Amino acid sequence: MIDIHTHFFYEGGHTESFQNEADLARGAPVKLTVSAAEFDAAMQPVDRAIVLACRALRVGMHQDNNVIARFAARSPAKYVAFAGIDPCEENFMDELEHCLGDLKMRGVKLLPMYAGFDPRDTRLNPLYERCTREKLPVLFHSGTTFCRDAPLRFTKPTLWEEVAERFPDLKMVLAHLGHPWEHEMVALIRKQPNIWTDVSALHYRPWQFYNSLMLVQEYGVWNKLLFGSDFPVTTPQAQAQGMRALNKMLEGTRLPRLNMDAIEQVIERDSFKLLGI
Ligand SMILES: [Zn+2]
Protein backbone atom coordinates (compact mmCIF):
# COMPACT_ATOMS: atom_id res chain seq x y z
CA MET A 1 0.00 0.00 0.00
CA ILE A 2 1.26 3.48 -0.89
CA ASP A 3 -0.07 6.58 0.84
CA ILE A 4 0.56 9.60 -1.38
CA HIS A 5 -1.03 12.13 0.96
CA THR A 6 0.26 12.53 4.51
CA HIS A 7 1.27 15.46 6.71
CA PHE A 8 3.54 15.80 9.67
CA PHE A 9 1.88 18.58 11.67
CA TYR A 10 4.56 19.38 14.18
CA GLU A 11 4.28 21.80 17.09
CA GLY A 12 4.70 25.34 15.74
CA GLY A 13 4.06 24.50 12.07
CA HIS A 14 0.70 26.27 12.04
CA THR A 15 -0.99 29.09 13.93
CA GLU A 16 -3.43 28.82 16.78
CA SER A 17 -6.18 30.32 14.61
CA PHE A 18 -5.73 27.50 12.07
CA GLN A 19 -6.09 24.97 14.89
CA ASN A 20 -9.17 26.81 16.21
CA GLU A 21 -10.86 26.71 12.81
CA ALA A 22 -10.19 22.98 12.51
CA ASP A 23 -11.77 22.47 15.94
CA LEU A 24 -14.79 24.58 14.95
CA ALA A 25 -15.29 22.59 11.75
CA ARG A 26 -15.17 19.26 13.56
CA GLY A 27 -17.26 20.54 16.49
CA ALA A 28 -14.66 19.15 18.88
CA PRO A 29 -10.91 19.57 19.43
CA VAL A 30 -8.97 18.01 16.54
CA LYS A 31 -5.56 16.54 17.26
CA LEU A 32 -3.51 17.89 14.35
CA THR A 33 -0.10 17.80 15.99
CA VAL A 34 1.49 14.37 16.09
CA SER A 35 4.84 13.01 17.21
CA ALA A 36 7.18 11.15 14.89
CA ALA A 37 6.36 7.94 16.76
CA GLU A 38 2.62 8.44 16.26
CA PHE A 39 3.21 9.15 12.58
CA ASP A 40 5.32 6.01 12.14
CA ALA A 41 2.76 3.88 13.97
CA ALA A 42 -0.05 5.09 11.69
CA MET A 43 2.11 4.36 8.62
CA GLN A 44 2.86 0.80 9.64
CA PRO A 45 0.45 -0.73 7.09
CA VAL A 46 1.96 1.22 4.16
CA ASP A 47 5.11 0.46 2.18
CA ARG A 48 5.80 4.01 1.03
CA ALA A 49 4.35 7.41 1.83
CA ILE A 50 4.64 10.98 0.58
CA VAL A 51 4.98 13.57 3.34
CA LEU A 52 3.65 16.88 2.07
CA ALA A 53 4.96 20.10 3.57
CA CYS A 54 2.24 22.74 3.91
CA ARG A 55 2.77 26.43 3.32
CA ALA A 56 -0.26 28.71 3.00
CA LEU A 57 0.49 31.79 5.05
CA ARG A 58 -2.94 33.32 4.46
CA VAL A 59 -4.61 30.75 6.73
CA GLY A 60 -1.71 30.17 9.12
CA MET A 61 0.09 27.15 7.70
CA HIS A 62 3.80 27.89 7.75
CA GLN A 63 5.61 24.59 7.92
CA ASP A 64 9.36 24.71 7.48
CA ASN A 65 10.50 22.61 4.51
CA ASN A 66 13.74 21.82 6.34
CA VAL A 67 11.77 20.16 9.15
CA ILE A 68 9.67 18.06 6.76
CA ALA A 69 12.69 17.03 4.68
CA ARG A 70 14.57 16.00 7.84
CA PHE A 71 11.52 14.13 9.11
CA ALA A 72 11.19 12.09 5.90
CA ALA A 73 14.96 11.47 5.75
CA ARG A 74 14.71 9.34 8.91
CA SER A 75 13.39 6.52 6.68
CA PRO A 76 14.42 7.30 3.11
CA ALA A 77 13.36 3.88 1.86
CA LYS A 78 9.81 4.56 3.06
CA TYR A 79 9.15 8.31 3.09
CA VAL A 80 9.46 10.88 0.32
CA ALA A 81 9.06 14.59 1.06
CA PHE A 82 7.32 17.13 -1.18
CA ALA A 83 8.13 20.84 -0.91
CA GLY A 84 5.45 23.12 0.47
CA ILE A 85 5.45 26.27 -1.66
CA ASP A 86 3.29 29.36 -1.24
CA PRO A 87 3.56 31.42 -4.45
CA CYS A 88 2.21 34.45 -2.59
CA GLU A 89 5.59 34.62 -0.86
CA GLU A 90 7.96 36.90 -2.73
CA ASN A 91 10.91 34.51 -2.98
CA PHE A 92 9.02 31.31 -3.58
CA MET A 93 11.26 30.27 -6.47
CA ASP A 94 14.33 30.55 -4.20
CA GLU A 95 12.54 28.37 -1.66
CA LEU A 96 11.76 25.86 -4.43
CA GLU A 97 15.41 25.88 -5.45
CA HIS A 98 16.43 25.18 -1.84
CA CYS A 99 13.86 22.37 -1.52
CA LEU A 100 14.81 20.62 -4.74
CA GLY A 101 18.54 21.33 -4.68
CA ASP A 102 19.63 21.22 -1.02
CA LEU A 103 16.83 19.18 0.51
CA LYS A 104 16.34 16.80 -2.45
CA MET A 105 12.56 16.96 -2.16
CA ARG A 106 10.85 14.99 -4.93
CA GLY A 107 7.73 16.97 -5.78
CA VAL A 108 5.73 20.03 -4.81
CA LYS A 109 2.61 20.59 -2.72
CA LEU A 110 0.45 23.62 -3.51
CA LEU A 111 -2.61 24.80 -1.59
CA PRO A 112 -4.38 27.29 -3.88
CA MET A 113 -7.50 28.06 -1.86
CA TYR A 114 -5.72 28.09 1.49
CA ALA A 115 -2.95 30.37 0.24
CA GLY A 116 -5.35 32.48 -1.87
CA PHE A 117 -4.17 32.03 -5.46
CA ASP A 118 -5.59 30.68 -8.68
CA PRO A 119 -3.75 27.59 -9.97
CA ARG A 120 -3.85 29.22 -13.45
CA ASP A 121 -1.94 32.27 -12.18
CA THR A 122 1.01 32.92 -14.53
CA ARG A 123 3.19 33.67 -11.46
CA LEU A 124 3.40 29.88 -11.25
CA ASN A 125 4.83 29.44 -14.75
CA PRO A 126 8.46 29.09 -13.63
CA LEU A 127 7.45 26.47 -11.05
CA TYR A 128 5.35 24.54 -13.55
CA GLU A 129 8.16 24.78 -16.12
CA ARG A 130 10.75 23.49 -13.69
CA CYS A 131 8.57 20.60 -12.50
CA THR A 132 7.78 19.65 -16.10
CA ARG A 133 11.46 19.75 -17.05
CA GLU A 134 12.58 17.70 -14.05
CA LYS A 135 9.56 15.38 -14.18
CA LEU A 136 8.49 16.29 -10.65
CA PRO A 137 4.83 15.80 -9.74
CA VAL A 138 2.78 18.61 -8.23
CA LEU A 139 0.08 17.71 -5.72
CA PHE A 140 -2.60 20.34 -5.16
CA HIS A 141 -5.30 20.63 -2.60
CA SER A 142 -8.61 20.66 -4.47
CA GLY A 143 -12.14 20.67 -3.16
CA THR A 144 -13.44 22.57 -0.21
CA THR A 145 -12.13 23.17 3.31
CA PHE A 146 -13.26 24.57 6.64
CA CYS A 147 -11.18 27.77 6.60
CA ARG A 148 -13.28 30.87 6.27
CA ASP A 149 -10.53 32.82 4.56
CA ALA A 150 -9.89 30.19 1.84
CA PRO A 151 -11.84 31.27 -1.28
CA LEU A 152 -13.90 28.61 -3.04
CA ARG A 153 -13.21 30.30 -6.38
CA PHE A 154 -9.64 28.91 -6.35
CA THR A 155 -10.46 25.26 -5.87
CA LYS A 156 -12.95 23.85 -8.37
CA PRO A 157 -11.33 21.07 -10.45
CA THR A 158 -12.07 22.52 -13.90
CA LEU A 159 -9.64 25.40 -13.17
CA TRP A 160 -6.83 22.91 -13.78
CA GLU A 161 -7.83 22.20 -17.35
CA GLU A 162 -6.09 25.39 -18.41
CA VAL A 163 -2.94 24.42 -16.49
CA ALA A 164 -2.95 21.08 -18.33
CA GLU A 165 -3.44 22.87 -21.66
CA ARG A 166 -0.38 25.04 -21.01
CA PHE A 167 1.72 22.27 -19.41
CA PRO A 168 0.46 19.01 -20.94
CA ASP A 169 3.44 16.98 -19.67
CA LEU A 170 3.24 18.20 -16.06
CA LYS A 171 2.13 15.40 -13.72
CA MET A 172 -0.54 16.74 -11.39
CA VAL A 173 -2.49 15.14 -8.57
CA LEU A 174 -5.61 16.97 -7.40
CA ALA A 175 -6.52 15.83 -3.90
CA HIS A 176 -9.77 14.62 -2.36
CA LEU A 177 -11.66 13.95 -5.60
CA GLY A 178 -12.29 17.71 -5.61
CA HIS A 179 -15.15 17.21 -3.13
CA PRO A 180 -17.96 18.16 -3.42
CA TRP A 181 -17.28 18.84 -7.12
CA GLU A 182 -16.48 15.22 -7.92
CA HIS A 183 -18.43 15.48 -11.20
CA GLU A 184 -15.95 18.12 -12.39
CA MET A 185 -13.03 15.94 -11.30
CA VAL A 186 -14.30 12.91 -13.18
CA ALA A 187 -14.69 14.98 -16.36
CA LEU A 188 -11.15 16.34 -15.95
CA ILE A 189 -9.25 13.13 -15.19
CA ARG A 190 -11.00 11.29 -18.00
CA LYS A 191 -9.64 13.66 -20.65
CA GLN A 192 -6.29 14.72 -19.15
CA PRO A 193 -3.78 11.86 -19.13
CA ASN A 194 -1.40 13.59 -16.70
CA ILE A 195 -3.95 14.51 -14.05
CA TRP A 196 -4.77 12.07 -11.25
CA THR A 197 -6.87 12.52 -8.14
CA ASP A 198 -6.56 11.06 -4.66
CA VAL A 199 -9.21 9.54 -2.41
CA SER A 200 -7.79 10.91 0.83
CA ALA A 201 -9.99 11.99 3.74
CA LEU A 202 -13.28 11.01 2.13
CA HIS A 203 -14.31 7.74 3.80
CA TYR A 204 -16.02 9.38 6.75
CA ARG A 205 -18.76 10.76 4.47
CA PRO A 206 -19.77 7.33 3.17
CA TRP A 207 -22.91 8.26 1.23
CA GLN A 208 -21.11 11.04 -0.63
CA PHE A 209 -18.07 8.81 -1.18
CA TYR A 210 -20.25 6.01 -2.56
CA ASN A 211 -21.88 8.42 -5.02
CA SER A 212 -18.51 9.87 -6.02
CA LEU A 213 -17.09 6.43 -6.70
CA MET A 214 -20.21 5.52 -8.71
CA LEU A 215 -19.40 8.52 -10.91
CA VAL A 216 -15.83 7.20 -11.19
CA GLN A 217 -17.16 3.76 -12.10
CA GLU A 218 -19.70 4.95 -14.66
CA TYR A 219 -17.17 7.22 -16.38
CA GLY A 220 -14.57 4.44 -16.35
CA VAL A 221 -11.79 6.33 -14.56
CA TRP A 222 -10.86 3.99 -11.70
CA ASN A 223 -7.32 3.96 -13.12
CA LYS A 224 -6.89 7.68 -12.30
CA LEU A 225 -7.49 7.30 -8.56
CA LEU A 226 -4.52 7.22 -6.19
CA PHE A 227 -4.64 6.03 -2.61
CA GLY A 228 -3.97 8.47 0.21
CA SER A 229 -5.14 9.18 3.74
CA ASP A 230 -4.45 12.86 4.54
CA PHE A 231 -3.02 11.67 7.87
CA PRO A 232 -3.50 12.95 10.61
CA VAL A 233 -7.02 13.78 9.37
CA THR A 234 -7.51 10.01 9.11
CA THR A 235 -5.23 6.98 8.83
CA PRO A 236 -4.39 4.82 5.81
CA GLN A 237 -5.90 1.85 7.62
CA ALA A 238 -9.22 3.63 8.25
CA GLN A 239 -9.25 4.96 4.69
CA ALA A 240 -8.78 1.46 3.21
CA GLN A 241 -11.35 -0.07 5.57
CA GLY A 242 -13.82 2.69 4.77
CA MET A 243 -13.49 2.01 1.04
CA ARG A 244 -13.90 -1.73 1.50
CA ALA A 245 -17.05 -1.19 3.60
CA LEU A 246 -18.97 1.07 1.21
CA ASN A 247 -21.06 -1.66 -0.42
CA LYS A 248 -22.20 -2.92 3.00
CA MET A 249 -24.22 0.27 3.36
CA LEU A 250 -26.35 -0.91 0.40
CA GLU A 251 -27.49 -4.19 1.94
CA GLY A 252 -31.24 -4.60 1.58
CA THR A 253 -31.37 -2.24 -1.42
CA ARG A 254 -31.09 -2.75 -5.19
CA LEU A 255 -28.67 0.14 -5.58
CA PRO A 256 -25.72 -0.58 -7.89
CA ARG A 257 -22.61 -1.95 -6.21
CA LEU A 258 -19.09 -0.57 -6.46
CA ASN A 259 -16.62 -2.86 -8.16
CA MET A 260 -14.61 -4.28 -5.26
CA ASP A 261 -11.76 -5.40 -7.52
CA ALA A 262 -11.39 -1.83 -8.75
CA ILE A 263 -11.35 -0.58 -5.15
CA GLU A 264 -8.61 -3.09 -4.24
CA GLN A 265 -6.62 -1.93 -7.26
CA VAL A 266 -6.81 1.68 -6.01
CA ILE A 267 -5.64 0.58 -2.55
CA GLU A 268 -2.74 -1.40 -4.03
CA ARG A 269 -1.84 1.01 -6.85
CA ASP A 270 1.87 1.73 -7.38
CA SER A 271 1.45 5.51 -7.46
CA PHE A 272 5.20 6.12 -7.18
CA LYS A 273 5.70 4.39 -10.49
CA LEU A 274 2.83 6.29 -12.15
CA LEU A 275 4.18 9.62 -10.93
CA GLY A 276 7.78 8.76 -11.74
CA ILE A 277 9.04 9.06 -8.16
ZN1 LIG B 1 -3.84 17.24 3.03
Side-chain angles (χ1 to χ4, degrees), residues 5 7 109 176 230:
H5 194 140
H7 304 287
K109 170 74 190 274
H176 317 303
D230 205 12

Side-chain angles (χ1 to χ4, degrees), residues 46-215:
V46 308
D47 303 302
R48 313 280 320 257
I50 299 176
V51 188
L52 305 161
C54 287
R55 284 189 79 76
L57 302 193
R58 180 184 170 115
V59 298
M61 280 194 261
H62 49 239
Q63 288 197 330
D64 182 341
N65 282 303
N66 297 291
V67 172
I68 301 301
R70 245 191 340 261
F71 175 77
R74 296 172 311 126
S75 305
K78 180 159 183 171
Y79 301 137
V80 165
F82 274 27
I85 300 294
D86 181 346
C88 302
E89 289 185 274
E90 209 171 304
N91 298 320
F92 77 91
M93 283 304 290
D94 296 339
E95 179 67 13
L96 180 70
E97 177 63 45
H98 172 58
C99 290
L100 302 182
D102 307 329
L103 302 180
K104 310 285 177 224
M105 291 169 118
R106 308 279 295 280
V108 176
K109 170 74 190 274
L110 296 174
L111 293 148
M113 78 181 306
Y114 290 99
F117 67 90
D118 188 315
R120 302 170 297 183
D121 194 322
T122 52
R123 249 187 307 184
L124 285 152
N125 282 356
L127 183 150
Y128 291 151
E129 276 158 17
R130 174 127 194 220
C131 288
T132 304
R133 202 168 56 239
E134 299 187 18
K135 298 188 168 44
L136 297 168
V138 182
L139 193 146
F140 298 83
H141 174 85
S142 77
T144 192
T145 181
F146 51 82
C147 293
R148 183 176 185 179
D149 202 24
L152 292 169
R153 65 183 175 279
F154 296 143
T155 205
K156 294 177 79 178
T158 43
L159 295 176
W160 276 270
E161 180 165 55
E162 189 183 313
V163 181
E165 283 166 356
R166 282 158 41 204
F167 299 94
D169 298 324
L170 177 63
K171 294 195 172 191
M172 296 186 271
V173 181
L174 310 190
H176 317 303
L177 271 164
H179 77 103
W181 297 285
E182 294 90 342
H183 56 294
E184 285 195 15
M185 184 64 79
V186 164
L188 185 69
I189 58 179
R190 185 165 74 141
K191 67 203 290 290
Q192 292 297 342
N194 285 322
I195 299 184
W196 289 262
T197 186
D198 79 41
V199 296
S200 65
L202 297 173
H203 72 89
Y204 44 77
R205 296 187 189 100
W207 178 244
Q208 183 183 355
F209 198 21
Y210 161 75
N211 282 280
S212 309
L213 293 179
M214 276 310 299
L215 273 177

